[in-house]
Amino acid sequence: MKGVKPADNMYPALQRPDQDKAAVAKLEALEAKTGKKPNIMVFLLDDVGWMDMGFNGGGVAVGNATPNMDELAEDGLLLTSAYSTPSCSPSRATIHTGQNPLHHGILRPPMYGESGGLDGATTLPKLLKDKGYTTQGVGKWHMGENKGSLPQNVGYDDYVGFLGVSDMYTEWRDIYLNPEIALSPSRFDMMVEDEFNHNEVHCTAADTEKCEDGKLIDLDYIKDLDQHWKDVSLDFIEKQKDADDPFFLYHATRGCHFDNYPSDDYAGKSAAHTVYSDCMVEMDDVFGSLVDKLEETGQLENTLILLTSDNGPECEIPPHGRTPFRGCKGSNWEGGVRVPTFAYWKDMIPARRSDGLFDFADILPTAMSITGVKGGDIGKLFDEKTYIDGVDQMSFLLADDGESNRRSRPYTINQYFGAMRIDEFKYMFTGEIQDSIVQKGNWGGFSGTIFHDTGGAVMFNLYANPQEDVNVGIRHIPATVPLMSASGDYMAELMKFPPQFKIGFVGNNPALYNLAPEVRGGVEKMLKERGVGRPTP
């Protein structure tokens, strides 16, 4: 089968007309029954590995039972080949824009108030809001603190959470983790006075200039955030039970990003008795509470639930998540980007497992398809220079024996296009050797060197060798050639729709598609307007 581009600015998708017809019939029957469009809830975990939950072989086996997640995964569509980007902010931006990092430009997480973010991009909540949805965001934001990137300026009616990332509020306060700062009055004051937002915030569409500061996030309040955010989402679901409009709820947990400080109710609650596993037990309870509230309020049958994690385990800092694959967060090995994922929709999604390809960029086109915007019309929601890397997977989710509409999946790492997957084969030409610089202590996806070229025939069979350490590129040339072709096709797309640079890494090696004048101009603009890194006092 060959992928077909629904529009010039959209990634190729497989054509499955019978599957599409069956899925549309299901949706139309449900809407006739409920009288409104379906609700959508995205439950996004942080730094959770593919094998942390019971439904993927973890759970009880690794000392943190996840009964609530397991139950819905077994009753829904369990996606064993679902992909994030290598790290959290790029993944969050991909969910919101339908673009991979090369096209939305957030190549890494912005830290401590660094500029760079969504900057008023056309986003999923904005598009859903235009379709009559009430949009609520809860939890970790981490897509920019500048005005144009604030939640209320990219489509959220309301947002309660923090604008950065968990460790940004705590690591410099902890005398055991960063004594050089925590025990130095002048350095500690430097962090207190730094311009990044130190508080939980409440953002509303009524104030597009700023978010309202709530409690200061310190070593005590960090323990309570996920419970507070759970209550915010529960209140929102309760308020929506009699609403005429459908809702989009984006619930992004603090857990289980380092550093985990369990509340008194969860400290030691896991069988593993580690702060990471205690966090996993808490996240399972939080998820179960939201699902119970949907059922209690009669909204479960009209709500698509997608649970996933923003990337693989953060291996530089133990205790961390588990994955059976090679690599960690920060890399484009499977361990860095293949994430635990399932879709649940009571009486709508048939219970099954699938290894069909699914990418975070698919969430936006799929959601818009559920609202009735399909095919090339999705591309028309954006300007002609904006490339959509996502594929509409609505029929994959809903059809009784639905198959993925994605034939291939490109991998990115930092500012590079690094690999391509079709079926079980992965062709790789740029990636990271994680232990190439240091072999002592803890190393992971942010610790190694990037290789930019190979001998030309590095390919892995992910079924036979999920650890990606046996090359089959020469022995399996009949599979290698189609992957090389798909890689060349996407390289051409990157020349036509050049990469964006809103926040990136310091580096010296430009890729072929980064030699385009537009890309050079984009890099110059980033360096001139934003620089790289946080300001030095």
Side-chain angles (χ1 to χ4, degrees):
M1 299 179 68
K2 293 183 178 180
V4 176
K5 294 180 67 175
D8 186 57
N9 64 336
M10 295 183 71
Y11 197 82
L14 296 174
Q15 306 300 293
R16 303 186 189 275
D18 292 340
Q19 181 172 293
D20 292 342
K21 184 178 179 180
V24 168
K26 269 190 175 182
L27 272 179
E28 290 176 345
L30 179 66
E31 189 170 345
K33 177 182 176 182
T34 63
K36 64 179 182 180
K37 300 291 184 185
N39 307 314
I40 301 171
M41 182 176 87
V42 174
F43 189 88
L44 183 64
L45 295 153
D46 200 336
D47 287 3
V48 170
W50 190 93
M51 208 174 73
D52 281 332
M53 292 86 152
F55 62 76
N56 274 342
V60 172
V62 295
N64 47 241
T66 53
N68 294 303
M69 297 179 189
D70 297 347
E71 180 180 359
L72 259 69
E74 295 298 331
D75 289 340
L77 173 56
L78 178 51
L79 298 163
T80 57
S81 284
Y83 286 93
S84 68
T85 78
S87 62
C88 58
S89 299
S91 289
R92 292 161 200 275
T94 293
I95 290 172
H96 279 77
T97 64
Q99 300 176 292
N100 71 32
L102 296 183
H103 282 126
H104 61 58
I106 302 177
L107 303 177
R108 66 162 173 87
M111 297 298 295
Y112 289 104
E114 283 182 281
S115 296
L118 292 176
D119 293 324
T122 298
T123 63
L124 177 57
K126 184 179 291 185
L127 294 172
L128 289 174
K129 192 172 180 177
D130 290 343
K131 286 289 182 180
Y133 277 69
T134 300
T135 55
Q136 175 70 57
V138 180
K140 176 180 175 179
W141 181 242
H142 209 194
M143 288 178 280
E145 295 189 22
N146 56 305
K147 177 183 172 182
S149 298
L150 294 177
Q152 68 271 38
N153 293 329
V154 293
Y156 283 101
D157 294 313
D158 191 87
Y159 201 102
V160 175
F162 57 50
L163 296 178
V165 55
S166 187
D167 58 302
M168 217 167 78
Y169 305 99
T170 58
E171 59 188 1
W172 51 275
R173 298 177 184 275
D174 195 316
I175 63 173
Y176 298 102
L177 303 179
N178 278 274
E180 301 88 346
I181 295 176
L183 296 177
S184 167
S186 60
R187 290 175 176 175
F188 189 86
D189 287 345
M190 174 190 75
M191 298 306 298
V192 170
E193 295 168 6
D194 202 297
E195 294 182 356
F196 74 92
N197 191 292
H198 293 63
N199 302 283
E200 187 178 38
V201 297
H202 184 198
C203 316
T204 67
D207 186 351
T208 59
E209 295 295 319
K210 64 184 186 308
C211 299
E212 180 183 347
D213 283 347
K215 286 187 178 181
L216 177 72
I217 303 173
D218 56 19
L219 294 176
D220 291 319
Y221 190 48
I222 196 78
K223 301 177 181 180
D224 301 326
L225 283 175
D226 276 307
Q227 291 301 310
H228 178 219
W229 295 346
K230 176 192 74 174
D231 291 340
V232 173
S233 287
L234 290 175
D235 288 345
F236 173 75
I237 294 171
E238 177 69 29
K239 290 176 183 176
Q240 289 300 119
K241 68 179 181 181
D242 297 319
D244 294 330
D245 297 330
F247 69 77
F248 171 64
L249 173 58
Y250 172 73
H251 186 104
T253 66
R254 187 220 61 79
C256 295
H257 192 288
F258 71 92
D259 295 289
N260 289 291
Y261 297 90
S263 67
D264 292 343
D265 291 337
Y266 286 94
K269 193 170 182 179
S270 68
H273 300 298
T274 68
V275 293
Y276 182 85
S277 285
D278 290 348
C279 175
M280 281 299 303
V281 171
E282 181 178 6
M283 295 308 99
D284 186 69
D285 284 353
V286 169
F287 178 71
S289 295
L290 300 190
V291 174
D292 288 346
K293 176 59 74 171
L294 286 169
E295 187 163 34
E296 174 193 319
T297 56
Q299 300 178 87
L300 190 60
E301 292 181 0
N302 198 38
T303 302
L304 167 63
I305 300 172
L306 183 71
L307 178 144
T308 190
S309 174
D310 62 348
N311 43 247
E314 171 56 87
C315 296
E316 277 94 349
I317 300 180
H320 53 68
R322 305 88 166 176
T323 179
F325 307 113
R326 179 176 179 174
C328 307
K329 173 184 178 180
S331 79
N332 60 343
W333 300 107
E334 294 297 291
V337 294
R338 206 193 297 196
V339 289
T341 305
F342 67 80
Y344 174 86
W345 193 345
K346 187 176 180 180
D347 299 329
M348 289 289 287
I349 293 180
R352 66 198 193 281
R353 289 176 179 247
S354 174
D355 198 49
L357 299 180
F358 187 91
D359 189 277
F360 274 16
D362 300 343
I363 295 173
L364 185 148
T366 302
M368 296 315 299
S369 180
I370 287 172
T371 70
V373 184
K374 302 181 183 300
D377 288 339
I378 295 173
K380 295 177 183 177
L381 298 171
F382 302 83
D383 67 68
E384 61 183 13
K385 294 182 179 180
T386 299
Y387 189 83
I388 303 305
D389 292 283
V391 167
D392 174 11
Q393 299 278 28
M394 187 265 287
S395 66
F396 175 31
L397 301 186
L398 296 185
D400 287 349
D401 295 306
E403 296 182 84
S404 176
N405 296 316
R406 175 176 284 279
R407 177 175 182 264
S408 61
R409 192 267 170 182
Y411 296 68
T412 67
I413 179 169
N414 300 356
Q415 67 266 42
Y416 305 107
F417 165 38
M420 180 67 76
R421 179 177 173 182
I422 297 177
D423 295 340
E424 70 269 34
F425 295 103
K426 179 178 179 181
Y427 179 67
M428 197 165 190
F429 41 91
T430 299
E432 181 181 13
I433 306 300
Q434 295 185 164
D435 61 347
S436 59
I437 298 176
V438 295
Q439 292 81 41
K440 297 179 180 179
N442 300 300
W443 43 265
F446 296 108
S447 308
T449 54
I450 303 293
F451 64 86
H452 302 92
D453 289 295
T454 69
V458 174
M459 187 177 74
F460 306 104
N461 182 327
L462 297 176
Y463 286 170
N465 179 229
Q467 291 78 29
E468 297 176 275
D469 56 7
V470 177
N471 179 38
V472 298
I474 295 298
R475 178 67 282 168
H476 293 277
I477 290 178
T480 307
V481 172
L483 271 87
M484 293 176 69
S485 175
S487 300
D489 289 345
Y490 192 64
M491 197 81 73
E493 295 286 66
L494 289 171
M495 296 297 290
K496 187 174 183 180
F497 297 91
Q500 303 297 308
F501 295 87
K502 293 182 179 178
I503 182 165
F505 290 90
V506 175
N508 291 310
N509 289 290
L512 287 175
Y513 42 84
N514 286 349
L515 297 177
E518 296 91 344
V519 176
R520 179 180 175 86
V523 174
E524 290 176 345
K525 186 173 186 290
M526 178 188 76
L527 294 175
K528 180 180 179 181
E529 295 182 0
R530 301 185 175 95
V532 179
R534 61 188 291 273
T536 301

